[in-house]
Amino acid sequence: MKTYFYPLFLFILCIGCTSQENSASFIENTEGRYLFNDNEVIEIYFKDQILHAKWRGNDDIELLKVNDSSFYMKELNEKMIFVSSPEMHIELAPKTEHKGVIYHFKKLNKNEKTPNEYFEAEEYDKALEAFLKIKQQDSLSPVIRERRINSIGYNFLRDKKYDKALQIFKINTALHPKSSNVYDSTADAYLILGDTTNAKEYYKKALAINPENRNAKRAYNKLVEKK
């Protein structure tokens, strides 16, 4: 028991002995939004000289200062180190659970957004560009999984947000151009919007990739019969 509490005691003592004041330049350089993962940010700000974070719906997370550049975030159970060179970013202090992985959170530029943020702002071209950039950097990123994006699209359809559904499906076709399913889903959105011309075109694209796509085949044949 003694060996367990001694390091913890030193950690708390270290925090207690550290000045809570931060220099104006450190505050200026540190405050901002950091890319927590491919499509999520953690925002850092200071209130009354104390560092706070906004993350996953909690807008007032207080971090404990360990030293001039390191802070402990209880919600993550991690010590965050602010590194200014070569560019400002956050690193997580190494620990056994990381298994040798170095976690590095890049600071975003002032007007830079995540793909989701571009999408919610209806900046669909920029959203597509951001999603494609993720694919280029990490083709296995969960953010760009075909099934995940398709599910988002059908949620939009159920909520009668038809334009958003169409736009996210079109992004999915750009990310997964060899998938019959993404064209089929885009066609479904066009059909609900009453655009039978584009619906027929996208069902044809789906069938060109997979002639056995039952939904596309059934819907396409119905559209042809109505003509």
Side-chain angles (χ1 to χ4, degrees), residues 56-72:
R56 294 187 174 175
N58 191 336
D59 289 347
D60 193 23
I61 300 171
E62 184 177 329
L63 280 72
L64 297 174
K65 185 173 182 179
V66 180
N67 57 43
D68 285 343
S69 61
S70 302
F71 297 78
Y72 176 73

Side-chain angles (χ1 to χ4, degrees), residues 18-28 30 46-51 63 65-71 82:
T18 301
S19 169
Q20 294 303 304
E21 295 291 318
N22 298 279
S23 69
S25 61
F26 179 80
I27 292 174
E28 181 181 358
T30 303
F46 282 83
K47 184 168 68 175
D48 299 327
Q49 283 284 330
I50 296 174
L51 189 146
L63 280 72
K65 185 173 182 179
V66 180
N67 57 43
D68 285 343
S69 61
S70 302
F71 297 78
F82 291 85

Side-chain angles (χ1 to χ4, degrees), residues 124-149:
Y124 298 127
D125 288 343
K126 289 183 178 180
L128 172 59
E129 185 179 342
F131 276 117
L132 288 173
K133 185 176 180 180
I134 290 173
K135 182 179 180 180
Q136 184 179 21
Q137 294 172 343
D138 179 11
S139 62
L140 299 178
S141 170
V143 170
I144 59 168
R145 283 178 185 159
E146 176 191 332
R147 185 174 295 180
R148 174 186 177 276
I149 295 176

Side-chain angles (χ1 to χ4, degrees), residues 43-220:
E43 184 174 345
I44 297 297
Y45 67 99
F46 282 83
K47 184 168 68 175
D48 299 327
Q49 283 284 330
I50 296 174
L51 189 146
H52 291 252
K54 296 180 182 180
W55 183 63
R56 294 187 174 175
N58 191 336
D59 289 347
D60 193 23
I61 300 171
E62 184 177 329
L63 280 72
L64 297 174
K65 185 173 182 179
V66 180
N67 57 43
D68 285 343
S69 61
S70 302
F71 297 78
Y72 176 73
M73 184 171 171
K74 181 179 69 175
E75 287 74 6
L76 280 174
N77 189 27
E78 300 283 358
K79 185 168 78 170
M80 304 169 72
I81 305 169
F82 291 85
V83 183
S84 60
S85 180
E87 295 179 324
M88 177 58 76
H89 64 279
I90 296 172
E91 291 180 5
L92 297 185
K95 65 181 190 180
T96 305
E97 292 84 348
H98 295 171
K99 297 180 180 178
V101 177
I102 298 174
Y103 290 92
H104 174 127
F105 306 150
K106 167 197 169 188
K107 187 177 183 182
L108 296 174
N109 297 325
K110 187 175 181 180
N111 297 317
E112 192 174 356
K113 299 175 184 177
T114 66
N116 272 359
E117 288 173 333
Y118 281 126
F119 190 86
E120 288 304 313
E122 299 184 0
E123 298 178 77
Y124 298 127
D125 288 343
K126 289 183 178 180
L128 172 59
E129 185 179 342
F131 276 117
L132 288 173
K133 185 176 180 180
I134 290 173
K135 182 179 180 180
Q136 184 179 21
Q137 294 172 343
D138 179 11
S139 62
L140 299 178
S141 170
V143 170
I144 59 168
R145 283 178 185 159
E146 176 191 332
R147 185 174 295 180
R148 174 186 177 276
I149 295 176
N150 232 41
S151 178
I152 292 171
Y154 280 107
N155 286 338
F156 282 140
L157 285 181
R158 280 190 288 272
D159 293 339
K160 298 183 179 180
K161 298 177 180 178
Y162 302 127
D163 186 56
K164 282 185 176 292
L166 179 61
Q167 294 298 332
I168 199 70
F169 285 141
K170 289 171 80 172
I171 285 173
N172 218 11
T173 63
L175 290 170
H176 306 283
K178 296 181 180 180
S179 166
S180 173
N181 190 47
V182 297
Y183 292 102
D184 177 40
S185 300
T186 308
D188 286 346
Y190 274 123
L191 191 60
I192 290 173
L193 286 166
D195 186 343
T196 56
T197 301
N198 273 312
K200 192 187 300 183
E201 179 185 344
Y202 275 82
Y203 284 131
K204 280 181 69 175
K205 289 180 178 181
L207 290 169
I209 296 170
N210 178 16
E212 301 306 315
N213 184 322
R214 288 183 292 178
N215 181 71
K217 188 186 293 186
R218 182 171 57 250
Y220 179 75

